[in-house]
Amino acid sequence: MTINLKNKAEIVEKFGKNAKDTGSVDTQIALLTEKILELTEHLKANPKDFQGRRGLLMMVGRRKRLLSYLKDKNLEGYRKLIKELNIRETK
């Protein structure tokens, strides 16, 4: 399950500082979110894909750690990002 280059370029352009900024926390979280959504759809159709499920759990854990880092460093950016990506409900 990989994101095609067109989708990746759009995500990087939208969340990165420039078109080649794939390393910033916001961009990494956005890319992981897209991969998680794609893999979730795959697992709905293929419920016995246990390796895919393990990969999904690892991606969710990585995104959780990145979100925690962003929350500590930039609370307003964190709130804006989770609202824009529709990750969770905010209080």
Side-chain angles (χ1 to χ4, degrees):
M1 308 307 118
T2 60
I3 300 174
N4 65 30
L5 292 177
K6 182 180 177 189
N7 287 347
K8 183 176 179 179
E10 290 174 2
I11 291 170
V12 170
E13 181 119 359
K14 183 174 181 182
F15 292 99
K17 295 175 183 141
N18 57 43
K20 297 191 182 237
D21 179 27
T22 59
S24 69
V25 178
D26 295 346
T27 307
Q28 288 183 45
I29 292 170
L31 288 170
L32 278 171
T33 300
E34 184 66 27
K35 286 182 184 178
I36 288 168
L37 292 174
E38 286 182 9
L39 195 51
T40 302
E41 291 302 315
H42 168 77
L43 288 173
K44 286 179 183 175
N46 302 285
K48 293 186 178 183
D49 184 4
F50 297 110
Q51 292 300 314
R53 188 171 311 281
R54 181 176 186 271
L56 174 67
L57 291 174
M58 289 178 10
M59 282 187 246
V60 169
R62 174 176 280 157
R63 183 179 72 176
K64 183 179 177 183
R65 288 189 301 272
L66 286 169
L67 283 168
S68 176
Y69 172 81
L70 183 62
K71 186 176 181 180
D72 290 342
K73 297 294 180 185
N74 182 4
L75 186 60
E76 286 304 313
Y78 166 80
R79 289 180 178 156
K80 179 183 170 198
L81 187 65
I82 60 172
K83 186 174 184 179
E84 197 166 333
L85 292 173
N86 199 18
I87 293 176
R88 64 175 68 107
E89 297 296 320
T90 58
K91 295 177 183 176

